[in-house]
Every structure is written in structure tokens, then in C-alpha cells.
Amino acid sequence: MVDRFAHQPTGSATEPANVAAPSTPPSLLEARGLCKSFGGVRAVNKVAIDVPVGQITGLIGPNGAGKTTLFNLLANSLRSDSGTVMFDGSPIQELPAHALARRGLVRTFQVARVLSRLSVLDNMLLATQRQTGETLWKVWLQPGKIASEERRERDRAWEILESVGLAAKAQDYAGALSGGQRKLLELARALMTHPKLILLDEPAAGVNPTLINQICDHIRTWNRDGMTFLIIEHNMDVIMSLCDHVWVMSEGSNLANGTPIEIQRNPRVLEAYLGD
Amino acid sequence: MEGFVVSLVIFTAIFTLFGLGLNLQWGYTGLINFGHVAFMTIGAYTTVLLSLRGVPLWLAAIIGAVAASLLGLLIGFSTLRLREDYLAIVTIGVSEMLRLVAINEEEVTRGTFGLQGFPLPLEDLNPNGFVRLLMMALLTVVIGLAYWQGFRWLRQVWKQSPTSELLSSSRVALGYILSLVLAVVGVGFLSSQLKAGEVLPPWVLGALLLAACVGIVLLFVWLGDRATKRIAGWTTGLSIVIAMIAGLVGIWAFGYSLTALYHYNDNPSKNGLMLLSVLLVALVFLGLDRLVRSPWGRVIKAIREDEEVARALGKNVFAYKLQSLMLGGFLAGLAGALYSWQLTTVYPDNFRPLVTFNAWTIVVLGGAGSNLGTLLGASIFWAYDTITRFVLRDIVPLEDARLGAFRVMIIGLILMVLMIWRPQGMLGKKEELTLGR
């Protein structure tokens, strides 16, 4: 399993998730002063966030706090009004959205979005980066190279699908999967891009408790293999059990950040969640 | 008869090529292009105007197709960032605009007088017996390939459903189609007898004929509706039967085409054009087949499903849409060159929006996202067009103008029924429709 992420900058990869590292590892993703307005509404207001290498970082906040907007800004699905985002040492806020996956930053969606009329396997293969066969003319000019790449990637896709328990469904249309299976497919597909950082938007939303545990186990396993995560989640159990560090947003701004324990005891966080 | 079949084959080939371009854009990439004929206009006029100035024909055709794909680039850059429905509106606008330019730029296009007397491909060719045999062999190989593709589709369908079910549904479908034809011919025969006998006043005859038409339509829609509910795989059976009939008609046409090639010199420009267009279709078909199965094809299908996901997975959605639009435009441009050679005169009126909608009919009929379906759709469309053009006159006592409208009405009816019973088109996959997002 470890070699799957062999290219990773392995910081605290071998440490179990919940043991706090004595000194914080360097940031993989670092956002400063991000702003985004929709008309007169300041959805995200001077928000900063750090995602250290090899850790699972959580992002929580009440509904409407601007978490998903922040996600869209980090993934460049939306353009920020101002602010900087550094990923792996270089600024990315000016890049087009599709360029991020190639650099190793991939996102999932709040409502799992699979490509219905493609097979599960094709959903996986699509996620492969730098495919020769994705260039129009090379389809006719280099069929041999494309075929060998496809074989290699298919093996890798099978391996990942097997690890999440979707191998039996590989040839089915992705649209025929259940909601929970779609969540798993989205995770597996994100992994297929050889990412350095995966942004997960509510991986446990609308999923039954057994499957939540399963998803958490996968995230933990992959994290142990060196993968970095940033997770938005409303399910506090998930956040508390998975995350090394938690950031809290409220009404478009940073409210607090710290370890899960600190966050749980922070009166301002409680106030934001429960009202006064 | 040979000349007639040859021109039927040419039209089918041209519209297959034209439809394949649209199928790439809409069926695979999800781009709604309601102005496909614009690419054809550019291709046709560029080819003709260049060849009139002495540019070799093959070069003129290629430049025409490239110009058409550049039009795709232009449209794409201005609209692809917008939502799909805007593309539909812009494309239909562009196609009409080009037609109006062609009407009014009389210095270049000679406007409504049209362009005539331009060079045609292979018109001076005088092949000896060996070359003619070679041509016939080539045609046989290509047609054989097409039938092999059809056979593969049939085998796949057969694997998916139980044989007995398919056999019984095909039998019922055959009876259904035969009785429909008999009913139409019978009513037509009876009414023309009555008309000739002049026993009834015309308005009574007209009313009776209308009532009979409505009756037949209602009866067969009702029958079909019952069948869809009671007989498993009925629409599949219907597709199989229609495909079989199309296949038989194809063999019949193939026979005549071979004879035509044998007597090549009777009509060299048409016979040559037939061979050329059929070969071109075969080449394009094979190329597209590889393309849509490749990773490139996977990306454009992903864009059709959800472009946001494709973007998040690192695909440059805009570039892919542009490529698809341009490649589809290139094919339509090639079809335009062939179209101008087939018509031998080019008027702006040849490029009305109706041509676009014929292509849509072909693609929808055959099944979006299936290249073989486009081929079948084009064959059926032109077979229908020919049969009704010559046979309908004998069985329906209407004058020509109304007959023309009547034929289009029937196409509309067929499309409606198709959308109700088999929305995926003849060769489309049912599963693909029932999937949620």
C-alpha cells in the first residue's frame, strides 16, 4: 500500500493519526486573506487556513459559515476576490481549476457526483493524469503507448476499487450505484489522480453509520500511507476521531483553530454552534 | 434505376458523415448544436469557390473542411463558456446568418442564382476493367464491414436478453409493421379508387381520408402501447426488425451500386462520387470508433455527464469542447463538399435550417452516442424519403405540395412515438436513460 503514494513528501507518515507531532510539519496548503463576495454578501472574509503535510485537517462551522465557498476558492472552482493560496510552495490562486489536479490537489463534492453513464471503471480511469490518449491526434498516432498505459492504469484502478470494496461493480454504470457507493467511488476516484492533498466536502453526509466508519477507516489508512486531507464535516464524531487539527469558520471568517480537544472546549465555538 | 440508387447511396453517405459530426458534438460531448448546417455551408461554398479558381479538388475540399472547423473555433470561443442553451441559440443564428450572407454576397456566391458548372471529382476518370473490379471489391469490403458492425450489435443485443423473448417480440414487431404498411396502402388504394370513380364529393372523400389516417395512427399507437406494456423487449424487437429491413434494402441497393460501378462510364461523376463518399464514410467511421473508445472519448463523455467533475479531475473542459466542436465541424465541412458535388449546383437555399434538423432526426433515430446508430438512422431516413417520394404519390391522393408536408408530418409522428417508446433511439442503450445523475 505504501508505494502507492511513493512520490509523497513523507513527513509524519508513519505516525498514527491522533498522536500530535511535537513540532508542526510544513504546510502543504496555505491560504491567507481569502475574500469572496456574492453581490453584497461577504461569503468568505479574510480567511486563513493551513494544511500541514501528512495530517488530516478539519474545517467545521455552522451552516452558511462559508466552508464550501472556501473549498471552491481553494480548488479554484470559484475565483477569489483577493488573497493568496500557496500549494506545495507555489501560488495557485491564478491557475485554472483543471490545472490543480495535475499538481496534486483534488476535491470531492458535497453531494457525490459520479459520471452516471460511464462505467465505474471508466470513472476511475478518467481521473488518471497525463494520459497520452487524451490528446486528440495521439489517439491515432500512438495506439500502442495508449494501450499499455490503459493496462497499467486499469490494474491500479482495480487495486483501489478492491480496497474500497467496489471491484464487483467495476463494469456497471456509475449511475446504478447507491448513494454510499457513490461516496466511496468519489474517494477512490480522487485517489486515482495521484494527489498530494484531497479536499473532502462532507464525506459522511447522507451515509449510514456503518459506511461512515468504513469511510473513516479508508481515510485513516490512506493518511497513514502519507496522504494529506482537508475535510469539511458536520458529523463531530468523524471530525474528532479523524482530525489532527481543526479550523472553525463562522459567518465567513476564521473563528478558531486548534486540536480537536481544544476546539471542543472553546466557548466561542460552542456559542457559534448553539447560539447564545 | 442504377442512377437513382447511386444518388440514394450518395445522399445516405453524405448525411451519415454529417450526422457523425453532430453525434460527436451532441451524442458524445453534449453540445447542443442547432446550426450544424453552418459548417456544411462553409465547407460547400469554400470547396466550390476554390475549385472554380483552379485549386485542385481534393485540396479545395480539405481547405473547406478546415474552414468549417475554424468556424467551430470561432463559435466555440464566443459561446462555450456559456451554458448549453446559449450555444444552441448562437449556432442556429450563425447558420441562418451564413445563409443570408450567401444570398446577399452576390459578387462572390452569385446569390440565389447559385453556382454551377464547377469541377466534379473523378468525372474524367475512364477506368479499365481491372480498376473497375478493384473499385467493386473495395465497395464490397466497406459494405461488408458495415454489415459486420451491424451483426456485432445484434449479437450483443442477443446476449443481453433471452432468445425466446427477442424472437417472439421480433415476430410481433414484424406483424405490426407489415399490418401498418398494409393498412396504409389499403386506405390509399381505396381512396384513390374512390377519387377516380368520382362517386363522392371531394370534401367527403377528404374527410374520410383524414378520418382513416387518424384512425390508423390511433390504432397503431394504441397497439404499440399495449405491446410495450405486455411484451418484454418489444421495442428491441421492433428495432431489430427495422434494422433487418434496412439491411435488406441495403443489400438491394448494394447490388445496384455494384452494377453501377461495373458500368462506370455511364455516369462517371456520380459513380465516382458514390465510391468516394462511401470510402470516406468508412474511413471516418473507423477513425471515430477508435476516438470515442480512447481516453479522449472518455473525457468528452465525462464532460457530457458533468463538466464540473471533469474539471476537478484535471481535464481542460473548454479545450475538449472546442476540439469536439471543431472536429464535428470538420466532418460537416467534408460532407458539405460532397453535398455540393452531388447537387452540382449550390444555392443558399440548399442550406436551410431543415438540413440541420434532418441531421438531428438521423442522430435521434439511430441513438445518440452511437456511431453505428447514425449510419442506420441516415439509411432509414433516406430510405423513408425515397420510398415516400415515389410510393406515397400512388397511394395518397394529394397533390405534390401537400404530399411534401405530409411526409414531414409522418417524420414528426415517428419521432414522437420513438420518444415515448424508445427514447434512447434504435441502437441506444436503455440503461443509460434510467440512470439518475
Side-chain angles (χ1 to χ4, degrees), chain A:
Chain A
M1 285 298 267
V2 178
D3 67 319
R4 197 191 294 155
F5 312 129
H7 66 286
Q8 276 296 124
T10 40
S12 56
T14 47
E15 297 293 318
N18 272 328
V19 176
S23 61
T24 19
S27 291
L28 183 58
L29 183 82
E30 191 179 299
R32 289 289 175 269
L34 277 179
C35 293
K36 178 73 189 176
S37 306
F38 297 107
V41 185
R42 268 271 164 107
V44 169
N45 190 9
K46 291 183 196 148
V47 168
I49 193 165
D50 280 331
V51 181
V53 161
Q55 291 199 352
I56 302 178
T57 307
L59 176 61
I60 62 172
N63 284 322
K67 302 183 299 294
T68 298
T69 309
L70 177 63
F71 243 45
N72 285 334
L73 295 180
L74 294 179
N76 283 359
S77 304
L78 284 174
R79 234 149 283 260
S80 55
D81 297 337
S82 61
T84 55
V85 183
M86 300 288 282
F87 177 70
D88 211 11
S90 52
I92 56 165
Q93 74 270 15
E94 299 290 330
L95 293 176
H98 63 83
L100 293 185
R102 184 165 287 190
R103 292 184 173 227
L105 191 159
V106 66
R107 68 166 302 183
T108 67
F109 295 89
Q110 194 164 356
V111 178
R113 283 162 93 161
V114 297
L115 306 161
S116 300
R117 291 188 284 171
L118 263 59
S119 72
V120 170
L121 191 61
D122 274 345
N123 265 267
M124 294 292 286
L125 291 174
L126 179 77
T128 311
Q129 301 300 303
R130 296 169 199 276
Q131 300 182 58
T132 310
E134 286 186 350
T135 312
L136 184 58
W137 46 90
K138 288 184 184 165
V139 169
W140 298 298
L141 297 183
Q142 306 184 342
K145 191 175 174 199
I146 292 170
S148 74
E149 277 183 14
E150 285 280 287
R151 266 196 302 279
R152 198 183 64 219
E153 293 304 323
R154 191 164 298 159
D155 289 345
R156 212 166 78 82
W158 271 106
E159 195 188 312
I160 298 179
L161 282 177
E162 257 163 26
S163 73
V164 298
L166 282 178
K169 300 265 180 190
Q171 305 292 353
D172 294 1
Y173 282 111
L177 295 182
S178 71
Q181 287 168 331
R182 287 176 188 218
K183 286 269 182 193
L184 285 173
L185 175 58
E186 230 190 1
L187 276 179
R189 196 173 61 190
L191 207 60
M192 195 69 191
T193 62
H194 276 301
K196 293 174 182 157
L197 168 64
I198 302 182
L199 307 179
L200 295 177
D201 198 347
E202 300 199 21
V207 173
N208 71 53
T210 325
L211 196 56
I212 291 183
N213 286 337
Q214 218 177 319
I215 289 175
C216 288
D217 285 343
H218 289 309
I219 294 175
R220 229 173 262 127
T221 314
W222 294 330
N223 176 248
R224 215 168 293 143
D225 294 343
M227 185 66 61
T228 312
F229 289 92
L230 173 62
I231 303 179
I232 293 182
E233 188 49 69
H234 280 298
N235 186 326
M236 282 304 143
D237 293 340
V238 171
I239 288 285
M240 295 306 151
S241 71
L242 277 182
C243 296
D244 302 298
H245 200 87
V246 179
W247 292 73
V248 189
M249 276 181 81
S250 172
E251 291 172 2
S253 319
N254 286 103
L255 189 70
N257 75 82
T259 62
I261 314 279
E262 288 167 13
I263 292 300
Q264 261 176 323
R265 294 183 185 146
N266 189 326
R268 293 178 63 201
V269 175
L270 292 176
E271 191 186 318
Y273 263 92
L274 302 173
D276 29 30

